[in-house]
């Protein structure tokens, strides 16, 4: 049921029994542009690139004898993980651990590695992650 209000303000009244948690268009997922990043495992490091092709170093990602693949992100204190069966699984775990605010801050603070010889990233293990800039709910919208 819609209720008209005098003047230019209009209020929408939800039908009885409607869940108030249903997102309205202003709060619905996807109304803010998502940001895509690519995480790479390269020579013991966890690197990331953004849509502008800036490449930065986020921390370590290496195979540890007997305990599988492990990663540790710089600047996040003890954020890391271990025991992953492959570099791709470790990258996916790292992607689930980061937020847009963390990556955005790292891209702002760190220099672009383009002034050093670029690594052969097309052949490096990689995961593409799409993050919600608002950081609501789960930080990862998609990880491939």
């Amino acid at each position: 049921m819609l209720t008209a209000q005098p003047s230019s303000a209009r209020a929408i009244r939800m039908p009885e029994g409607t869940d108030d948690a249903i997102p309205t268009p202003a709060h619905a997922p996807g109304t803010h542009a998502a940001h895509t990043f690519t995480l790479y495992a390269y020579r013991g490091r966890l690197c990331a690139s953004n849509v502008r092709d800036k490449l930065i170093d986020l921390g370590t990602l290496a195979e540890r004898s007997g305990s599988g693949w492990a990663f540790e992100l710089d600047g996040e204190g003890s954020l890391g993980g271990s025991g992953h069966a492959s570099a791709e699984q470790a990258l996916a775990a790292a992607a689930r651990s980061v937020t847009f605010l963390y990556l955005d801050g790292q891209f702002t603070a760190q220099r672009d590695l383009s002034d050093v010889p670029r690594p052969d990233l097309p052949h490096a293990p990689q995961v593409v992650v799409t993050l919600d800039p608002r950081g609501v709910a789960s930080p990862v919208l998609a990880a491939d």
Side-chain angles (χ1 to χ4, degrees):
M1 164 194 307
L2 293 176
T3 306
Q5 301 256 332
S7 80
S8 63
R10 293 190 184 266
I12 298 175
R13 190 173 282 176
M14 301 296 285
E16 273 188 57
T18 302
D19 186 356
D20 290 336
I22 295 173
T24 59
H27 298 95
T31 58
H32 297 299
H35 296 270
T36 302
F37 303 91
T38 304
L39 305 181
Y40 302 94
Y42 187 74
R43 295 186 180 179
R45 304 302 299 170
L46 196 159
C47 299
S49 66
N50 61 11
V51 295
R52 293 189 176 114
D53 207 27
K54 180 176 181 179
L55 181 69
I56 61 171
D57 185 328
L58 293 177
T60 61
L61 191 150
E63 189 171 20
R64 305 242 167 96
S65 62
S67 63
W69 287 83
F71 71 93
E72 187 170 340
L73 299 176
D74 297 338
E76 279 293 295
S78 62
L79 187 56
S82 61
H84 302 286
S86 66
E88 289 84 356
Q89 287 182 2
L91 285 169
R96 289 187 299 273
S97 300
V98 298
T99 63
F100 170 78
L101 292 176
Y102 167 74
L103 276 180
D104 187 56
Q106 294 300 307
F107 276 97
T108 300
Q110 291 194 33
R111 69 178 181 84
D112 189 348
L113 298 177
S114 63
D115 62 340
V116 296
R118 293 286 284 211
D120 183 18
L121 295 178
H123 302 292
Q126 56 189 274
V127 170
V128 176
V129 60
T130 303
L131 299 171
D132 182 344
R134 298 169 299 159
V136 297
S138 175
V140 175
L141 294 176
D144 298 324

